[in-house]
């Protein structure tokens, strides 16, 4: 078994989040590109890795990790010398985990519902993210005053949140508030982001 990371992705997918994260980590990895046109993500070989037939996924030390937020958190913990996650006994870990889960559990569905113009449910209180406005207001607080969620310290949660914010603003599903623009600029000036975006331009 090799310790090298295998990264399953498609260039125009949430795999972009993990691509940036892998550049932050700096550990060796091999990329397996899956063509959506050829349905390679639904082929038995890949379904054996991710039964959802979705990217991204990684395999590291014989273990599969899927879900972009989980992959970011996993990689930060697997490579602690990178300093991309607060240590287990660091109180900042609470803040870090809070916003990582908020990103996946609230921001993403809020953005997707807005993008697809899904009608508001009859009981918004039952919706995990409540309302689009409440979610954006909370997100604005999380990234303010910045420059990062943990203040001066950049971490894996910034890879995840800045990816959601960047994509959300680009598709106009997320309001381009000044706080989001400032946060996005701070995160995307990182050399790892620059390396990733040079390797995977948006067309
Ligand atoms: N919850 C997953 C979502 C992954 C996902 O939906 N990936 C899309 C691309 S962005 C995909 O693979 N779509 C292909 C399909 O479902 O057929 C995550 O956060 O990683």
């Amino acid at each position: 078994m090799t310790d090298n990371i295998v990264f399953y992705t498609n260039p125009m997918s949430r795999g972009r989040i993990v691509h940036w994260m892998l550049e932050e980590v700096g550990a060796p990895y091999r990329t397996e590109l899956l063509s959506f046109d050829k349905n390679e993500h639904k082929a038995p070989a890949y379904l054996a890795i991710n039964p959802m037939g979705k990217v991204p996924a990684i395999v590291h030390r014989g273990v599969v990790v899927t879900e972009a937020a989980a992959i970011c958190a996993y990689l930060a913990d697997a490579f602690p010398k990178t300093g991309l996650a607060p240590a287990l006994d660091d109180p900042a870990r609470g803040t870090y985990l809070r916003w990582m889960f908020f990103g996946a559990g609230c921001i993403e569905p809020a953005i997707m519902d807005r993008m697809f113009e899904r009608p508001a449910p009859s009981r918004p209180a039952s919706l995990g993210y409540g309302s689009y406005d409440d979610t954006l207001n909370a997100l604005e607080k999380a990234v303010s005053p910045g420059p990062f969620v943990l203040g001066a310290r950049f971490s894996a949660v910034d890879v995840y949140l800045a990816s959601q914010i960047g994509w959300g603003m680009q598709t106009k599903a997320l309001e381009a508030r000044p706080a989001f623009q400032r946060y996005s600029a701070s995160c995307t000036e990182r050399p790892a982001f620059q390396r990733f975006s040079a390797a995977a331009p948006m067309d």
Side-chain angles (χ1 to χ4, degrees), residues 13-14 36 41-42 53-56 67-68 108:
S13 77
R14 290 168 175 86
F36 287 158
H41 56 310
K42 304 295 181 191
K54 283 181 170 290
V55 291
E67 305 307 309
E108 184 180 286

Side-chain angles (χ1 to χ4, degrees), residues 6 8 32 34 39-54 57 59 64:
V6 185
Y8 296 88
E32 291 285 337
L34 299 176
N39 239 20
E40 288 173 343
H41 56 310
K42 304 295 181 191
Y46 185 66
L47 290 176
I49 292 163
N50 184 359
M52 290 289 285
K54 283 181 170 290
V59 179
V64 174

Side-chain angles (χ1 to χ4, degrees), residues 59-81:
V59 179
H60 182 220
R61 299 181 294 205
V63 170
V64 174
V65 190
T66 65
E67 305 307 309
I71 296 170
C72 290
Y74 170 85
L75 287 172
D77 288 346
F79 297 91
K81 287 189 185 141

